[in-house]
Amino acid sequence: MNAPARPMPHVLDTYGRLPVALSHGRGCRVWDSEGREYLDALAGIAVNTLGHAHPKLVPALQDQVAKLIHTSNYYQIPLQEQLAAALCEISGLSGVFFGNSGLEANEGALKIARKYGHDKGIDRPEVIVYERAFHGRSIATLSATGNPKVQKGFEPLVEGFVRVPLNDLAAIEAQARDNPNVVAVFLETIQGEGGINPARNEYLQGLRRICDAQGWLLMLDEVQCGIGRTGKWFAHQWAGIQPDVMPLAKGLGSGVPIGAIVVGPKALNVLGPGNHGTTFGGNPLAMRAGVETLRIMRDDGLLEHAATVGARLADGLRRELAGLDGVTEIRAAGLMIGIELARPCGVLLQRALDAGLLISVTADRVVRLLPPLVISEAEADRVVEILCPLIRAFLAEA
Ligand SMILES: Cc1ncc(COP(=O)(O)O)c(C=O)c1O
């Protein structure tokens, strides 16, 4: 018997949890406390880059835990230098601030945008944000988020945001023409929680052009779509552009909490001593997790793997769901895949669990797959085999 579906007595009831407790894992397989096996096509929401109990990551983390977990940013932390150098090398950017989560990285990015504006003499700086965006659940990041459900009950929202639709350059040009307070454009390269909605390459290139012309910062939230998930280190690299500010988190630590704001030359000197900080951020354990994650990804060719196995998974889904009434669109970039259905499909979460598969449903109608980057071709085929009959049966219901 699995754990019953009821709130845990001392844990605040803020999640709609499924009635299962996972106890251990290996690669893309996890087992619950009753010994039942599941195929993990969610990776803890794009976090477990290397899957579970990776044979190279585990000994590295054990070694680090036995040496140092936390010191303080009062002192030099050489592992920060090492991870920052690696992030700058793979992004082409220039500097990094380390925090603990996605919302923290985004909160820091918003502080950079405001300070950048003030440094230019703009007293009430504004940031362009997007419909259907998700940037986190702090007061500032939920204000930047484009989802009324996330904001409801937490008003007054933080001011200083203007909202536009995705992939509409005319809306950005109108801001450039009419709004002298804009200092930055802030978007997910591929919207995750909003339903796997990519910013088109031409759109990103257009944004880069307008930001350069206007002296605005281009800030790309790669918390969910970054760290190899789409088959390049960062999703914007498919468009051949670079952001000025790039918040990261999730997959960077393969499960150890971490966040990072990676910045280019335009934003490098915006924050100075005393402007920003955090107790846990950049601690040796998280830094080691980041360094080893990037190293293993590189050594094991996981970018190429994410691209090819992701294409195989998407092809399989398209083949099995082709022509099915009620499948609106399948959107895929490497191992970031959304299957949009014509009606809300939250029930598929439990049905997939019952069938031994971990997935997510986001934006009410989008089945989302974010498997570990180590997923094998056979496991990808198995995801298709389990999931497609569930979707077909669901769509056949009245
Ligand atoms: C694009 C994006 N930004 C920010 C966040 C917030 O990250 P965290 O939950 O680590 O605060 C998320 C989380 O889903 C996300 O998908």
Side-chain angles (χ1 to χ4, degrees):
M1 266 278 293
N2 281 325
R6 57 169 171 73
M8 293 179 247
H10 301 293
V11 177
L12 296 192
D13 187 20
T14 66
Y15 301 101
R17 294 178 199 267
L18 292 163
V20 61
L22 301 172
S23 78
H24 61 288
R26 185 96 192 156
C28 288
R29 293 179 304 153
V30 283
W31 288 266
D32 69 17
S33 47
E34 310 299 320
R36 198 159 173 251
E37 183 180 325
Y38 303 85
L39 180 55
D40 184 359
L42 182 62
I45 322 183
V47 168
N48 301 105
T49 303
L50 303 176
H52 303 276
H54 191 283
K56 294 184 189 165
L57 182 66
V58 169
L61 294 182
Q62 283 170 334
D63 172 68
Q64 190 58 50
V65 166
K67 282 183 185 150
L68 266 184
I69 294 174
H70 175 82
T71 52
S72 161
N73 287 302
Y74 277 6
Y75 311 107
Q76 309 288 317
I77 300 178
L79 279 163
Q80 280 189 16
E81 298 295 330
Q82 218 179 312
L83 183 54
L87 286 170
C88 290
E89 191 200 325
I90 61 179
S91 66
L93 299 179
S94 322
V96 187
F97 177 90
F98 289 109
N100 308 286
S101 67
L103 84 78
E104 270 189 71
N106 285 335
E107 189 84 24
L110 293 170
K111 283 181 70 177
I112 289 174
R114 283 198 170 181
K115 176 83 167 29
Y116 176 78
H118 281 278
D119 290 349
K120 288 207 296 187
I122 297 174
D123 291 338
R124 302 191 67 77
E126 293 185 20
V127 175
I128 296 177
V129 293
Y130 284 76
E131 291 170 5
R132 298 192 290 177
F134 183 83
H135 297 296
R137 290 174 178 275
S138 66
I139 293 290
T141 58
L142 75 80
S143 301
T145 287
N147 180 347
K149 277 196 213 156
V150 173
Q151 297 170 333
K152 191 167 174 342
F154 301 106
E155 300 87 351
L157 301 182
V158 169
E159 57 184 305
F161 294 112
V162 269
R163 199 168 301 280
V164 296
L166 187 61
N167 290 322
D168 178 359
L169 267 189
I172 302 293
E173 278 154 3
Q175 289 296 321
R177 195 177 53 237
D178 302 333
N179 188 346
N181 287 331
V182 171
V183 294
V185 182
F186 182 38
L187 70 156
E188 299 153 86
T189 314
I190 302 173
Q191 291 182 338
E193 303 306 299
I196 316 295
N197 309 311
R200 288 198 286 269
N201 286 347
E202 318 78 74
Y203 182 73
L204 290 168
Q205 290 152 4
L207 283 184
R208 183 65 277 174
R209 212 170 35 244
I210 295 171
C211 285
D212 287 342
Q214 296 297 123
W216 297 346
L217 297 176
L218 177 56
M219 310 206 301
L220 294 180
D221 177 346
E222 294 241 1
V223 166
Q224 189 165 145
C225 61
I227 313 294
R229 183 146 292 282
T230 66
K232 288 194 187 282
W233 286 112
F234 305 108
H236 65 263
Q237 290 172 333
W238 291 103
I241 57 137
Q242 281 186 344
D244 300 304
V245 177
M246 175 171 63
L248 297 174
K250 288 192 182 279
L252 178 56
S254 282
V256 177
I258 189 168
I261 317 167
V262 189
V263 299
K266 235 158 118 183
L268 188 59
N269 297 312
V270 173
L271 297 179
N275 284 149
H276 201 48
T278 164
T279 299
F280 288 119
N283 72 64
L285 178 61
M287 295 300 97
R288 184 75 184 268
V291 166
E292 299 295 341
T293 297
L294 298 184
R295 192 204 315 274
I296 295 165
M297 287 178 69
R298 201 193 301 252
D299 289 352
D300 292 1
L302 288 184
L303 298 185
E304 300 76 11
H305 181 71
T308 51
V309 78
R312 183 185 178 99
L313 180 47
D315 285 350
L317 295 167
R318 290 199 172 103
R319 188 184 59 239
E320 291 300 316
L321 300 175
L324 209 60
D325 234 18
V327 177
T328 309
E329 193 177 23
I330 298 177
R331 296 183 285 273
L335 286 169
M336 186 167 188
I337 299 176
I339 306 160
E340 181 171 340
L341 304 184
R343 60 189 168 88
C345 58
V347 293
L348 286 174
L349 275 187
Q350 178 70 55
R351 293 184 192 177
L353 189 76
D354 293 342
L357 180 67
L358 307 187
I359 59 165
S360 114
V361 170
T362 192
D364 294 335
R365 295 186 291 118
V366 181
V367 176
R368 178 174 51 165
L369 303 178
L370 301 163
L373 303 196
V374 295
I375 189 171
S376 69
E377 293 197 340
E379 286 166 335
D381 293 348
R382 186 77 192 123
V383 172
V384 175
E385 266 169 36
I386 301 175
L387 183 59
C388 291
L390 295 177
I391 292 179
R392 258 188 250 116
F394 170 76
L395 291 174
E397 292 162 12

